[in-house]
Amino acid sequence: MGGAVSAGEDNDELIDNLKEAQYIRTELVEQAFRAIDRADYYLEEFKDNAYKDLAWKHGNIHLSAPCIYSEVMEALDLQPGLSFLNLGSGTGYLSSMVGLILGPFGVNHGVELHSDVIEYAKQKLDFFIKTSDSFDKFEFCEPSFVIGNCLEISPDCTQYDRVYCGAGVQKEHEDYMKNLLKVGGILVMPLEEKLTKITRIGPSAWETKKILAVSFAPLIQPNHSDSGKSRLVHLPPVAVRSLQDLARIAIRGTIKKIIHQETMSKNGNGLKNPPRFKRRRVRRRRMETIVFLDKEVFASRISNPSDDNNNSEDTEDERREEEETKPSELKPDPPVNFLREKVLSLPLPDPLKYYLLYYREK
């Protein structure tokens, strides 16, 4: 499923294409997509396909097409502080993007059927937290993943503000999914071959909107062949932040405000980073010579003695000339992690600095 937009050369170009095609329409969703490189969730040998608008599957590991994820993110209407449940959380790519928007006081839970995929998701989450400079631009609602069949969630579980199901839902399970929502909540799921948005507008009132046609593998039905221990899925409790965590969030927030004020005073109007430029390929054309001779007109190409033998060399020369004449301003400097620089410059013990940076390795 996918292929709605052209392939990009990197994550930013993929997002540019999604914006141009109107799959990404809001700034919050754009920021989340740019912050997490889709290729980081691919196995190394498959990364060449990461920026294509296509789904990817290898064994139990699965990623939906970027155009699907962007439609899901937009339909969920995410806001800081909400609770989110991801049914079929997979690699954690979507849950991590959602966590960037929910912020430190949100709730971010995922249910995944396969234990090896949960392990993979935890590895990718840890890699993002410890290595990505974009992580420091947000206060993150870290996702928690539990193993189990999402059709066997304990009936005494809490309800959520936002729910997404990443597998095809049969009509018989529609009410089950709706009951996971709080009043005012939004559920997004593939239902009868349509990506569907359902808003709970009252205890027994629903508003349904079909978004686009999709093709998802169906939910795997629970297997009750061996009636041993209970298979009920118990979701993580909604934990209260520790005083230590609250202090870290407050300190990081204060430092970010100081950095923003310094940037504003330095730039005057606080302009955003200049837009990324794409260089057009320039082709050199051979000059044609017009010769007038006794009222006759002859068109011919004046060639150097070496032209006939060095056509391939000429192409290589053109390529080198393009590289040499490429304006230096089109090569953006690598992004600066101002929060990290500011924290490391503070007169604090190293363990406290590392704690403020979430034990970052970079």
Side-chain angles (χ1 to χ4, degrees), residues 32 55 80 89 92 114 149 174 180-181 183 211 224 229 245 301 310 316 319 331 356:
S89 51
H114 304 288
N149 189 307
E174 180 179 355
L180 297 171
L181 274 186
V183 174
I211 301 174
H224 298 294
K229 58 183 180 181
D245 267 351
R301 177 171 62 86
N310 294 326
E316 180 65 22
R319 186 191 65 77
K331 298 177 181 178
L356 289 173

Side-chain angles (χ1 to χ4, degrees), residues 157-212:
C157 79
T158 184
Q159 292 177 315
Y160 291 79
D161 297 303
R162 301 290 186 268
V163 177
Y164 170 65
C165 181
V169 177
Q170 293 84 352
K171 191 68 177 176
E172 65 200 75
H173 297 304
E174 180 179 355
D175 289 340
Y176 170 90
M177 295 293 177
K178 288 178 176 178
N179 288 329
L180 297 171
L181 274 186
K182 294 179 181 179
V183 174
I186 295 173
L187 163 66
V188 178
M189 62 181 177
L191 181 66
E192 297 181 318
E193 301 298 310
K194 295 286 193 301
L195 189 65
T196 305
K197 175 180 178 179
I198 299 176
T199 305
R200 188 170 194 170
I201 57 178
S204 302
W206 314 87
E207 191 176 81
T208 301
K209 177 184 178 182
K210 303 293 185 181
I211 301 174
L212 77 164

Side-chain angles (χ1 to χ4, degrees), residues 311-329:
N311 288 335
S312 60
E313 292 181 12
D314 184 67
T315 303
E316 180 65 22
D317 290 342
E318 290 179 12
R319 186 191 65 77
R320 280 201 299 267
E321 183 178 321
E322 285 181 17
E323 292 298 322
E324 291 170 1
T325 58
K326 181 179 178 181
S328 59
E329 64 268 19

Side-chain angles (χ1 to χ4, degrees), residues 9 65 89 138 265 294:
E9 293 184 1
S89 51
F138 302 84
S265 61
D294 292 335

Side-chain angles (χ1 to χ4, degrees), residues 78-196:
L78 298 161
Q79 304 294 330
L82 296 180
S83 56
F84 172 66
L85 176 61
N86 189 355
L87 303 175
S89 51
T91 65
Y93 173 63
L94 177 66
S95 291
S96 293
M97 288 195 292
V98 170
L100 297 174
I101 297 177
L102 297 182
F105 304 113
V107 175
N108 194 355
H109 294 161
V111 179
E112 170 56 43
L113 185 62
H114 304 288
S115 59
D116 59 326
V117 179
I118 285 186
E119 185 59 34
Y120 186 84
K122 288 179 179 179
Q123 292 172 5
K124 296 303 179 182
L125 175 62
D126 188 59
F127 178 81
F128 170 64
I129 291 175
K130 290 183 176 180
T131 66
S132 173
D133 279 331
S134 62
F135 175 81
D136 283 327
K137 298 176 183 177
F138 302 84
E139 291 304 327
F140 189 44
C141 182
E142 188 172 330
S144 298
F145 306 112
V146 296
I147 186 170
N149 189 307
C150 65
L151 293 175
E152 295 183 300
I153 293 175
S154 175
D156 60 357
C157 79
T158 184
Q159 292 177 315
Y160 291 79
D161 297 303
R162 301 290 186 268
V163 177
Y164 170 65
C165 181
V169 177
Q170 293 84 352
K171 191 68 177 176
E172 65 200 75
H173 297 304
E174 180 179 355
D175 289 340
Y176 170 90
M177 295 293 177
K178 288 178 176 178
N179 288 329
L180 297 171
L181 274 186
K182 294 179 181 179
V183 174
I186 295 173
L187 163 66
V188 178
M189 62 181 177
L191 181 66
E192 297 181 318
E193 301 298 310
K194 295 286 193 301
L195 189 65
T196 305

